[in-house]
Amino acid sequence: MDHYGVILRKLRELKRLPIKQAAKHIGRSAGWLSEVENGRGYARLRPAEFERIVEAYGGEMYRKHFGLWIAKSKSPTPLDSENVCLNGAILKYLRKKAKMTLAQAGQSVGLSGRTISAMELGKRTIRPELKDQLTRLYGYSPSSFKNFTTEDKRAKNIPALYKLNLLIHQLDPANIERVFAFALQNTTSNTIK
């Protein structure tokens, strides 16, 4: 089943377990559990193991909801229709403004600093609940976050370097070279430092 990770993430969230604590609870590593939940990497889950984890989470009573959780994971959330590319740059800006390190932010939400960095660079998707949790951690309300994507005044506060970094991490090397060549051709020598 391709959607075991979706179900396990939802069950873990219902139990309010950070990923490290959940991994210990089920006798697996946090990295393995993260890979399963995100459907990435090499971690694989057999049906018997899935059933064992559902039981460990006390998830039997939610079994009738599994199909709905899977369906919701496939449909775009309202966040997907917004400027998703900018979300990582906004989170980085808010984290820096709050004077928090990647490790501090990650520890506060039960993730590694590396995972927070990957989200800020657009290498990992940011679930709406996690985006809201991080926004609150940094001292803002979720509605304030939306203002950074819609209001010109607030959006201009996000450093262009953060936005450019996101864009670069989403391009393949050949396109990065083309962008770099274009920038060199269209920039005067006085502005290159």
Side-chain angles (χ1 to χ4, degrees), residues 7 30 52 56 67 121 144 146-147 150:
I7 295 165
R52 182 187 71 78
L121 292 172
S144 292
K146 188 173 182 178
N147 292 338
T150 57

Side-chain angles (χ1 to χ4, degrees), residues 104-158:
Q104 290 168 329
Q107 187 176 21
S108 296
V109 295
L111 298 171
S112 69
R114 180 180 283 172
T115 301
I116 299 293
S117 176
M119 289 187 297
E120 289 180 357
L121 292 172
K123 292 179 177 181
R124 289 189 78 155
T125 57
I126 307 165
R127 294 185 328 275
E129 337 53 86
L130 181 57
K131 176 192 65 75
D132 291 349
Q133 190 179 5
L134 287 168
T135 302
R136 284 188 196 95
L137 175 67
Y138 302 149
Y140 290 85
S141 71
S143 60
S144 292
F145 185 94
K146 188 173 182 178
N147 292 338
F148 282 100
T149 63
T150 57
E151 289 183 11
D152 290 338
K153 187 177 180 181
R154 284 195 182 179
K156 287 181 182 175
N157 289 332
I158 310 299

